[in-house]
């Protein structure tokens, strides 16, 4: 290796260095073990992870419902400190605190340059879900160190005034939830219904309020989540086990229906209810991850003539997006910290997965400290 290509390295980090990481071995088998520490190539960086979390998607991976290759380090929500910089990454220094989005667009392919960063084609065209690489197609964030690809496009410096806890949920949860409201083009004065008040749905609720909705209706039967929904900006929360949500939304809106319905679960029943809740010409903004077939009953969308908009969104990533979200926290307009209900060391991540995946103890999001 010549000096020109030598990565800027923290003293003492050698090629034989190892780290602790949560590694996927197969369904129901994620283990914390010692693995080689990454080294950055051109355009890449390595961060020392100071805080991360577990996403619902990681639970799908753990259960074998979303396939990833055995041996992969899971997790896609990193906050950390720059430990090494590969050649060609400029404007950053070792020791900078950074937030990296769950989605890491290359910033140079057709998809990125066309504004569809989450469908990044890695330097070439488009790839569906291609922007989601951490803990999907490359090693992820539930580790002591993380290799960040396309670092120039993805390292967002964290303002000194903000703690790791204040920003970790911006990587995925808040970016995705807010995007539900943004893609739905919520307007000042709108009525917005948000189906499911898990972490992403709760951020969609907050996002709808920030976008100017006059009325936000949360839908969730879990009392802890319903209470948090009100705290995050919902005016009312409907329990689908107790009321007919579609009828109730129609009643609340004087028979018209909601302007925008955000789906944050990924089930036929919630998607269909969202569609039935919106007024003619309304928008269903879908964030859920679906499997199997999704059916579209003709009456719910006026046989295709109701001027409905149905839009899907994958979490927006990249440093410009993260910068926007950081400013929302810095300004005090959004506080995601109430959503972090539990905290674990990386070595105890098995227990964290157990509590998170079974929704025990009123858990919403867990902080994982490597
Ligand atoms: Zn996620
Ligand atoms: Zn790209």
């Amino acid at each position: 290796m010549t000096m020109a290509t030598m990565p800027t390295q923290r003293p003492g980090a050698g090629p034989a260095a190892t780290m602790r990481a949560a590694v996927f071995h197969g369904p129901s088998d994620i283990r914390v073990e010692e693995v080689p520490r990454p080294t950055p190539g051109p355009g890449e960086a390595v961060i020392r992870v100071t805080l991360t979390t577990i996403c619902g998607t990681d639970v799908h991976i753990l259960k074998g419902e979303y396939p990833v290759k055995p041996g992969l380090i899971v997790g896609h929500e990193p906050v950390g400190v720059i430990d090494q910089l590969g050649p060609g990454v400029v404007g950053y220094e070792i020791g900078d605190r950074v937030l990296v989005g769950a989605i890491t667009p290359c910033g140079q392919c057709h998809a990125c340059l066309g504004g569809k960063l989450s469908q990044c084609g890695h330097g070439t065209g488009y790839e569906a879900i291609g922007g989601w690489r951490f803990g999907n197609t490359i090693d992820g964030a539930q580790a002591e160190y993380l290799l960040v690809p396309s670092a120039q496009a993805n390292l967002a410096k964290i303002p000194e005034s903000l703690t790791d806890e204040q920003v970790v949920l911006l990587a995925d949860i808040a970016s995705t939830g807010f995007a539900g409201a943004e893609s739905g083009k919520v307007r000042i004065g709108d009525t917005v219904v948000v189906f499911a008040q898990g972490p992403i749905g709760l951020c969609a609720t907050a996002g709808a309020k920030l976008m100017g909705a006059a009325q936000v209706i949360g839908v969730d039967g879990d009392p802890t989540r319903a209470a948090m929904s009100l705290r995050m900006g919902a005016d009312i929360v409907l329990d689908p086990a107790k009321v007919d949500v579609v009828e109730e939304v129609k009643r609340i809106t004087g028979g018209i229906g909601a302007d925008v319905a955000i789906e944050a679960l990924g089930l036929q029943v919630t998607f269909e209810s969202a569609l039935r809740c919106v007024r003619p010409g309304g928008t269903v903004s879908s964030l859920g991850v679906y499997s199997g077939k999704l059916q579209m009953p003709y009456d719910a969308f006026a046989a295709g003539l109701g001027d409905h908009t149905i839009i899907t969104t994958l979490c927006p990533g990249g440093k410009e997006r993260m910068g926007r979200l950081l400013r929302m926290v810095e300004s005090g307009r959004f506080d995601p910290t109430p959503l972090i209900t539990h905290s674990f060391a990386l070595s105890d991540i098995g227990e964290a997965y157990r509590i998170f995946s079974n929704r025990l103890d009123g858990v919403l999001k867990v902080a994982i400290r490597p």
Side-chain angles (χ1 to χ4, degrees):
M1 189 179 278
T2 67
M3 283 309 289
T5 58
M6 187 86 86
T8 317
Q9 216 158 347
R10 182 181 43 75
T18 61
M19 64 172 185
R20 307 279 288 163
V23 180
F24 173 82
H25 285 280
S28 304
D29 188 4
I30 288 178
R31 276 176 251 160
V32 177
E33 54 194 31
E34 206 73 26
V35 299
R37 196 185 292 184
T39 309
E44 298 173 338
V46 168
I47 65 170
R48 177 173 58 79
V49 180
T50 51
L51 192 65
T52 186
T53 175
I54 299 174
C55 179
T57 312
D58 300 326
V59 174
H60 289 300
I61 291 171
L62 175 66
K63 290 180 175 170
E65 295 162 356
Y66 183 92
V68 299
K69 63 178 193 297
L72 189 80
I73 299 169
V74 284
H76 51 257
E77 299 164 272
V79 179
V81 173
I82 295 177
D83 187 69
Q84 298 181 63
L85 287 167
V89 185
V90 297
Y92 296 94
E93 291 186 34
I94 306 295
D96 283 349
R97 288 176 68 223
V98 289
L99 166 69
V100 185
I103 302 298
T104 48
C106 74
Q108 300 185 337
C109 69
H110 292 221
C112 286
L113 295 172
K116 294 291 177 198
L117 281 74
S118 301
Q119 315 302 325
C120 174
H122 317 297
T124 56
Y126 285 77
E127 182 187 328
I129 328 175
W132 177 31
R133 304 186 70 191
F134 286 144
N136 181 24
T137 54
I138 64 173
D139 281 335
Q142 289 165 18
E144 289 180 299
Y145 294 86
L146 172 72
L147 180 78
V148 180
S150 308
Q152 196 69 45
N154 288 296
L155 299 173
K157 288 183 194 173
I158 301 170
E160 253 179 52
S161 61
L162 299 181
T163 64
D164 289 359
E165 287 75 10
Q166 284 177 290
V167 305
V168 67
L169 301 189
L170 305 180
D172 179 358
I173 299 308
S175 189
T176 303
F178 285 4
E182 293 168 286
S183 294
K185 295 194 164 60
V186 172
R187 297 172 63 198
I188 289 176
D190 273 354
T191 294
V192 180
V193 189
V194 185
F195 281 85
Q197 295 293 283
I200 287 176
L202 288 165
C203 289
T205 293
K209 185 176 182 187
L210 286 166
M211 295 282 288
Q215 184 164 234
V216 183
I217 303 167
V219 181
D220 206 299
D222 180 316
T224 308
R225 293 175 181 220
M228 189 60 76
S229 178
L230 295 172
R231 193 167 166 189
M232 298 306 278
D235 299 280
I236 178 173
V237 184
L238 303 177
D239 179 348
K242 292 190 179 142
V243 297
D244 182 323
V245 172
V246 176
E247 298 242 306
E248 193 59 17
V249 170
K250 287 272 162 69
R251 192 190 64 75
I252 291 168
T253 55
I256 294 170
D259 300 288
V260 179
I262 300 172
E263 201 285 349
L265 195 58
L267 296 176
Q268 172 71 34
V269 60
T270 42
F271 179 85
E272 189 171 328
S273 296
L275 189 59
R276 291 185 187 280
C277 274
V278 296
R279 59 165 168 76
T283 299
V284 174
S285 178
S286 174
L287 299 172
V289 182
Y290 303 88
S291 56
K293 248 181 212 167
L294 196 55
Q295 291 184 322
M296 194 84 77
Y298 84 98
D299 62 314
F301 81 138
L305 305 176
D307 287 346
H308 293 106
T309 300
I310 298 173
I311 185 160
T312 69
T313 311
L314 172 60
C315 174
K319 69 181 178 185
E320 196 270 348
R321 173 68 171 180
M322 291 304 118
R324 286 175 179 276
L325 301 179
L326 287 165
R327 289 196 289 281
M328 292 304 285
V329 178
E330 200 178 16
S331 67
R333 279 178 168 67
F334 175 62
D335 177 15
T337 50
L339 302 183
I340 302 177
T341 52
H342 293 65
S343 179
F344 296 89
L346 178 64
S347 51
D348 298 326
I349 202 168
E351 177 66 1
Y353 267 101
R354 189 182 71 81
I355 287 175
F356 183 73
S357 62
N358 294 300
R359 283 173 55 170
L360 305 176
D361 197 25
V363 68
L364 282 168
K365 287 289 275 187
V366 296
I368 304 291
R369 297 166 203 285

